[in-house]
Amino acid sequence: MRRVEVMDAREIARALERMAAEVVERGGDEEQLYLIGVQTRGVPLARRLARLLAASTGREVPVGALDITLYRDDIGPWRPAHQQPVLRATNLPEAIDGRVVCLVDDVLYTGRTVRAALDTLMDYGRPRAIRLAVLVDRGHRELPIAADFVGRTVPSSRVEDVQVRLKETDGEEGVWIAREDGHER
Amino acid sequence: MSGERVTRLRGKDLLGIDPLSPGEIQLILDTAVEMREIAQRPIKKVPALRGKTVVNLFMEASTRTRFSFEMAEKRLSADSLSFAAASSSVSKGETLLDTALNLEAMQPDFLVIRHPHAGAPHRLAKVLRSSVINAGDGAHEHPTQALLDALTIRLRRGGLAGQVVAIVGDLQHSRVVRSNVLLLSRMGAKVRVAGPPSLIPVGMAALGCEVYTRMEDAIAGADVVMMLRIQLERQGRMNFPTVREYYDFFALTPERLKLARKDCLVMHPGPMNRGVEIDSRVADGPQSVILEQVTNGVAVRMAVLYLLAGGYGEPTAD
Amino acid sequence: MNRLLIRHGRVVDPAQRLDDGMDVLLVDGAVARLAERIEDSQAQVIDAAGLVVAPGFIDVHVHLREPGFEYKETVATGVAAAVAGGFTAVCCMPNTSPVNDSAAVTEFIAKRAAEAALARVYPIGAVSKGLSGEELAEIGEMVRAGAVAVSDDGKPVHNAYLMRRALEYTQLFGIPVIDHCEEPTLAARGVMHEGAVATRLGLAGIPAAAEEVMVARDVVLAELTGGRVHIAHISTRGALERVREAKARGLQVTCEATPHHLALLDQAVAESEFDPNTKMNPPLRSQEHVTALLDAVLDGTVDCLATDHAPHHADEKALEYDLAPFGVVGLETALPVTYDLLVRRHGLPLKSFVALWSTAPARLLNLPGGTLRPGSAADVTIFNPEARAVVNPERFRSLSRNTPFAGQRLRGWPVMTIVGGRVVWQRERR
């Protein structure tokens, strides 16, 4: 396995600052805004965005955590026998009805995770709107899903793995492209 | 406890606590914690087991465990069918094996089975492709009960290690005590069991507990007291004289409860015999977590179903 | 062929204190001669090089199930299983339907055995009519018809008064009372040995005390009456101690042990995950008892081995552990299980091994055979102490397959069985 760094800590920080600015710009809905991070790495990213928004607008934006495992399309029959993915916590401190929910995730790839997140959210209530903020968009969409706020577009090939690593979850900070040895670009 | 985090259960069945490692027990409890949250949602349903069929084969009378499983199954969007069949197989016609094979021909994904004879789920698990979940086999095990009891203690106390748990009642005939002793001792709790000497099975201590014949000695300073239902229907008068005598010596009364630690948890697997093994003042009192056990029961059963589900593909290294 | 010459084998005959390389000549159904080297141009020659040649093995405790339970086993299939296991004779228990409590049933069984013309069958008659434990059966009539002992096995003779009278009455015929020692109220509804394993498995237990209490009673009654009692399938430390004491005091108390009680522990129930092929009565015991039993076999307290061959149909053994009937087959695994365990692993001398299966059973029940002394019946068991094979129940000659030894790799297998000078079975060459 070889990996190549495509974003370092500073670039991540700058991308998040820019995304926060775009959120404010798109804004007018700040009072209704509700950031919900998709487990696992979307959660610390959502918290960072919330802090940036609070710093620039003076307003506290609520942050929630959403585990979408139970709504994934690849559990059950399409999965190897008896090997379910681990469940993580869902914690929504406020109701989502009538709010503008901004889902936050680390990587947007096929779009299936976002589809699952949308279905999960729908069972919690009826938001006024749902937006999507991702740190990295790596292309190769399999569903008609697009992000509203993107930190960086990172073209990748299917045999590669785009790895976002954050201090809070991984102890290191950066975005890498990794590929198995033998798959040369 | 092992350091490595377990992310899946070995095998296709849940037949008892005995085969589970501490890591697997931890995984089930962690998953159950997340499952509890679903009951708080406006829509108490997730599609995780959509299209899966679960057959509840209850060969022994039970309303609450069956209901609990049914609720768990429906909350996961599984299709749930319940059979309450006559208990004794041979005299009533079809053998247990035949009943199960016939059911399997209809391709259920899960068979949840409660049976009056120990080992019945194990024999079935060997021949059926479905995942078999033991909802109680004779006096042997009742794994989901022990798991929900452990979850209840963990949520109230933050963990199981070091907790002193006293379990009191008819130990000879109780599958609940066997599963609980195995689980709690495996997770680092200290278990004391007590009951009339004529109802203490040989070699009980080898399961991982201290054995007492005086209830007061077992509950002194305990963090948790768990009362077992005295099996009136199975109670041969040669093992124990009367209900009145049982109450006098082995019931959890407010006076006896004072011997435990001040905010000791009071637990009972249900259904209770009020005024026999437990006084109503205690059952309904502030220390009772009996109803939490019921809530946690649904979550634990959801966790077990979720973790055992999956396709029919060969398990791969993740 | 009425002349059979068995050559180059190792002849082990404890009755003649023989353990040597010898040739054996059988003529017209009897042992004619033993010598270091025999020539006989007219005889059919059997090359027994590398093999042990012993007086025919006798199993004093089998259930042939006929009349009444032919779906489990018949006399014909039972004796076929016996010769395939190296046995030239068996004694069959009376818990058939109708019970063997009369000369008529005894004669019927003997007739069936004669028709099958394989192993010899010596019936054991009932102690009580219908096995009900209330009235003595017509013991004398049964003895006249060929019965060699009486027993109420699978049940105990639980009425002490009846046991006393039986021990007295049988002295008229010179036969022992064989008792299945189990105090029924202590055993209650137990299905396996009462101990830590049963507790862990949530199965009701049969305490060792149930056997010991009954053995103690029988020893007292043997002393009171001067009669002969033979303890069937002894399995507990306490019972063995009482038998040892009784023998030391000169009482006519004998006992037998089964291969499964020597080879398996109660732990097997857990390891097999509640497989009813581990269920029998008396049950598999814990280490303490199995060790005591082994010691008792090695020190001679146990007089002989016997299988308690108890066939049951596969459907019956496919029931829940609590509901499945007690019993396992044993004829076709007895020799390898006991040879492997006692001779190979525990150093029991080969002579003692042969005595346990042949010399002693014959003497105990006063049966012809148990020796290759010239003039005795030409019943011979030939086995290969080095043969290795895996127990495969599908290849059993018995109608039933309920064995706890399926899949076990064992060393020491029978290769030929000769009854009355006829080769009635030999191992197929593969």
Side-chain angles (χ1 to χ4, degrees):
Chain A
M1 181 73 83
R2 301 184 330 124
R3 65 176 199 175
V4 175
E5 192 181 46
V6 294
M7 285 176 83
D8 64 21
R10 250 176 16 132
E11 290 168 296
I12 290 178
R14 276 229 269 276
L16 287 171
E17 280 162 22
R18 184 176 44 72
M19 287 165 73
E22 284 175 14
V23 170
V24 171
E25 211 185 285
R26 189 88 69 92
D29 298 318
E30 294 150 12
E31 276 181 38
Q32 318 278 3
L33 189 61
Y34 189 173
L35 290 175
I36 296 183
V38 176
Q39 288 279 19
T40 322
R41 293 187 182 87
V43 178
L45 288 173
R47 290 206 189 100
R48 292 192 201 181
L49 272 177
R51 279 198 291 274
L52 289 166
L53 289 171
S56 73
T57 68
R59 271 208 183 88
E60 292 298 323
V61 176
V63 178
L66 192 72
D67 181 84
I68 55 96
T69 312
L70 295 171
Y71 288 77
R72 288 169 59 155
D73 65 9
D74 67 340
I75 59 173
W78 295 277
R79 201 153 163 99
H82 319 304
Q83 280 190 304
Q84 298 287 62
V86 176
L87 280 200
R88 302 203 194 274
T90 291
N91 186 11
L92 302 177
E94 301 186 13
I96 63 173
D97 296 301
R99 308 290 294 254
V100 173
V101 168
C102 185
L103 285 169
V104 183
D105 206 359
D106 56 340
V107 178
L108 175 58
Y109 182 26
T110 61
R112 292 180 187 276
T113 302
V114 176
R115 194 281 317 159
L118 291 173
D119 281 340
T120 315
L121 273 184
M122 294 307 187
D123 279 350
Y124 278 90
R126 197 168 188 283
R128 189 151 80 75
I130 301 179
R131 315 233 188 272
L132 176 65
V134 297
L135 184 63
V136 171
D137 179 348
R138 64 171 290 199
H140 299 293
R141 217 72 77 231
E142 293 174 3
L143 297 175
I145 300 231
D148 298 281
F149 310 103
V150 180
R152 159 117 32 131
T153 301
V154 175
S156 67
S157 100
R158 282 185 181 284
V159 303
E160 290 167 332
D161 192 18
V162 174
Q163 298 172 347
V164 171
R165 296 288 179 259
L166 304 173
K167 271 193 329 292
E168 297 95 320
T169 48
D170 311 285
E172 57 174 352
E173 185 92 352
V175 179
W176 284 267
I177 294 186
R179 69 182 80 102
E180 293 288 341
D181 287 330
H183 292 294
E184 292 303 324
R185 228 175 195 211
Chain B
M1 245 186 56
S2 69
E4 206 179 288
R5 185 162 181 201
V6 165
T7 56
R8 62 187 189 86
L9 301 178
R10 292 168 292 169
K12 68 173 175 77
D13 313 294
L14 178 68
L15 298 174
I17 298 296
D18 211 352
L20 296 177
S21 69
E24 288 172 298
I25 294 170
Q26 189 76 4
L27 174 64
I28 297 172
L29 296 178
D30 288 343
T31 307
V33 168
E34 308 311 340
M35 291 296 187
R36 270 175 45 106
E37 183 268 324
I38 295 169
Q40 316 298 336
R41 302 185 188 185
I43 295 184
K44 301 182 193 2
K45 210 188 231 312
V46 294
L49 256 56
R50 187 173 64 91
K52 295 283 189 189
T53 311
V54 184
V55 173
N56 300 311
L57 193 61
F58 276 65
M59 315 285 272
E60 204 183 47
S62 151
T63 326
R64 73 185 48 221
T65 305
R66 189 162 59 85
F67 264 30
S68 182
F69 268 103
E70 284 178 14
M71 179 143 302
E73 291 148 19
K74 290 182 201 295
R75 290 221 169 125
L76 293 173
S77 300
D79 293 322
S80 168
L81 289 113
S82 290
F83 287 75
S87 60
S88 157
S89 55
V90 175
S91 58
K92 303 292 192 320
E94 198 177 51
T95 63
L96 173 68
L97 183 60
D98 276 335
T99 305
L101 286 173
N102 274 287
L103 289 173
E104 184 166 72
M106 297 186 256
Q107 287 151 333
D109 299 284
F110 289 89
L111 202 64
V112 176
I113 173 161
R114 165 169 286 197
H115 197 281
H117 294 302
H122 302 64
R123 306 307 301 157
L124 291 182
K126 284 203 158 159
V127 296
L128 300 181
R129 273 192 333 162
S130 320
S131 289
V132 175
I133 296 178
N134 183 2
D137 66 323
H140 180 218
E141 286 233 45
H142 192 354
T144 55
Q145 179 70 45
L147 286 161
L148 74 89
D149 289 338
L151 181 62
T152 306
I153 298 172
R154 182 174 126 166
L155 288 171
R156 279 297 199 119
R157 294 265 190 255
L160 296 168
Q163 292 293 307
V164 176
V165 181
I167 307 178
V168 181
D170 173 358
L171 306 178
Q172 179 76 55
H173 298 106
S174 171
R175 53 186 167 226
V176 170
V177 75
R178 283 166 174 81
S179 292
N180 263 297
V181 169
L182 288 171
L183 190 155
L184 291 167
S185 60
R186 207 160 283 181
M187 302 304 276
K190 183 154 159 200
V191 190
R192 302 182 191 149
V193 301
S198 46
L199 287 171
I200 296 181
V202 171
M204 184 76 210
L207 268 65
C209 57
E210 290 168 8
V211 180
Y212 297 87
T213 54
R214 284 186 72 243
M215 176 179 181
E216 291 80 356
D217 296 337
I219 66 179
D223 299 297
V224 179
V225 175
M226 198 183 290
M227 299 307 295
L228 300 174
R229 174 189 166 72
I230 181 101
Q231 316 275 26
L232 286 171
E233 63 270 5
R234 285 187 222 153
Q235 204 56 8
R237 294 288 177 204
M238 294 204 204
N239 296 329
F240 201 87
T242 58
V243 159
R244 174 171 65 183
E245 187 141 310
Y246 192 86
Y247 181 88
D248 284 344
F249 291 91
F250 288 97
L252 188 61
T253 58
E255 294 71 42
R256 288 205 175 102
L257 183 57
K258 289 201 184 98
L259 297 169
R261 115 179 199 189
K262 191 156 170 289
D263 53 350
C264 173
L265 301 178
V266 171
M267 299 178 66
H268 192 300
M272 292 187 281
N273 290 314
R274 285 170 180 269
V276 179
E277 72 262 1
I278 188 166
D279 194 293
S280 279
R281 288 168 287 169
V282 174
D284 301 326
Q287 292 169 244
S288 164
V289 294
I290 294 172
L291 294 174
E292 287 168 43
Q293 287 174 270
V294 177
T295 307
N296 293 332
V298 179
V300 156
R301 288 159 181 143
M302 288 171 75
V304 169
L305 286 160
Y306 169 74
L307 288 168
L308 290 177
Y312 291 109
E314 285 310 304
T316 57
D318 241 337
Chain C
M1 246 286 164
N2 53 10
R3 294 179 88 88
L4 218 60
L5 177 58
I6 306 170
R7 267 223 167 121
H8 307 135
R10 176 180 173 182
V11 176
V12 180
D13 185 358
Q16 298 185 79
R17 297 185 209 285
L18 202 55
D19 180 357
D20 224 337
M22 302 214 101
D23 292 354
V24 183
L25 180 65
L26 311 173
V27 176
D28 291 336
V31 177
R33 207 151 74 88
L34 281 82
E36 203 186 302
R37 174 80 184 266
I38 300 177
E39 294 287 347
D40 188 323
S41 51
Q42 313 216 305
Q44 176 194 344
V45 175
I46 291 164
D47 181 6
L51 306 178
V52 173
V53 177
F57 284 10
I58 301 169
D59 189 345
V60 299
H61 191 149
V62 313
H63 295 267
L64 293 182
R65 304 297 191 206
E66 186 179 9
F69 302 106
E70 292 83 354
Y71 67 97
K72 301 183 202 238
E73 191 86 284
T74 62
V75 172
T77 60
V79 295
V83 297
F87 291 94
T88 57
V90 299
C91 304
C92 59
M93 285 296 180
N95 58 339
T96 47
S97 176
V99 166
N100 184 9
D101 60 6
S102 67
V105 179
T106 306
E107 279 161 13
F108 170 79
I109 294 171
K111 182 164 86 83
R112 279 286 196 242
E115 286 164 5
L118 292 171
R120 301 180 197 273
V121 176
Y122 302 108
I124 295 171
V127 173
S128 63
K129 275 216 190 81
L131 297 180
S132 63
E134 283 163 15
E135 301 171 31
L136 282 181
E138 289 184 304
I139 296 176
E141 299 296 321
M142 288 191 286
V143 169
R144 272 220 190 112
V148 299
V150 290
S151 178
D152 275 356
D153 188 75
K155 300 171 170 194
V157 181
H158 61 85
N159 184 310
Y161 182 87
L162 183 70
M163 183 63 172
R164 175 202 183 158
R165 296 306 178 205
L167 283 169
E168 291 166 344
Y169 189 62
T170 49
Q171 291 177 54
L172 184 54
F173 310 103
I175 59 169
V177 176
I178 302 179
D179 200 12
H180 164 113
C181 287
E182 177 189 354
E183 205 296 309
T185 60
L186 279 181
R189 283 183 297 165
V191 296
M192 70 171 288
H193 174 67
E194 181 184 275
V197 177
T199 294
R200 199 177 189 101
L201 296 181
L203 290 173
I206 301 171
E211 177 174 292
E212 193 179 339
V213 159
M214 217 45 147
V215 169
R217 179 201 79 168
D218 286 353
V219 166
V220 169
L221 293 178
E223 182 155 28
L224 176 64
T225 60
R228 286 175 61 197
V229 66
H230 178 75
I231 314 290
H233 45 52
I234 199 167
S235 68
T236 62
R237 186 177 52 83
L240 289 162
E241 277 164 15
R242 297 203 184 257
V243 170
R244 217 177 255 122
E245 270 166 34
K247 288 184 179 204
R249 295 207 332 264
L251 302 177
Q252 294 189 89
V253 177
T254 56
C255 65
E256 75 199 21
T258 71
H260 50 267
H261 286 113
L262 287 162
L264 299 171
L265 295 172
D266 56 350
Q267 190 59 32
V269 180
E271 284 162 10
S272 72
E273 289 187 272
F274 296 90
D275 184 347
N277 285 325
T278 58
K279 181 177 178 180
M280 76 290 288
N281 194 3
L284 299 174
R285 299 286 186 189
S286 60
Q287 187 70 69
E288 171 201 352
H289 299 286
V290 173
T291 302
L293 190 62
L294 203 52
D295 289 344
V297 169
L298 296 172
D299 77 15
T301 303
V302 169
D303 296 88
C304 69
L305 300 172
T307 63
D308 193 4
H309 176 88
H312 287 293
H313 195 280
D315 290 346
E316 295 171 309
K317 281 295 204 176
L319 294 174
E320 297 90 312
Y321 205 88
D322 282 337
L323 302 178
F326 289 100
V328 293
V329 290
L331 284 168
E332 295 171 87
T333 50
L335 205 161
V337 167
T338 51
Y339 182 85
D340 200 305
L341 179 73
L342 297 171
V343 178
R344 214 167 61 78
R345 281 200 266 144
H346 289 277
L348 181 73
L350 191 55
K351 240 193 255 182
S352 308
F353 179 72
V354 171
L356 285 167
W357 276 120
S358 183
T359 329
R363 198 178 45 222
L364 217 59
L365 294 183
N366 208 17
L367 304 172
T371 177
L372 292 176
R373 186 169 281 124
S376 47
D379 290 354
V380 187
T381 296
I382 304 178
F383 67 91
N384 182 348
E386 296 306 314
R388 277 172 224 258
V390 172
V391 176
N392 181 358
E394 292 310 308
R395 308 188 69 194
F396 282 175
R397 307 276 292 273
S398 167
L399 271 187
S400 294
R401 307 257 174 281
N402 50 316
T403 174
F405 296 111
Q408 279 204 29
R409 167 164 265 109
L410 298 168
R411 202 162 98 180
W413 288 82
V415 295
M416 182 180 281
T417 309
I418 297 169
V419 176
R422 268 175 57 235
V423 176
V424 291
W425 175 82
Q426 58 188 321
R427 186 156 292 277
E428 299 148 13
R429 303 232 166 260
R430 286 220 261 114

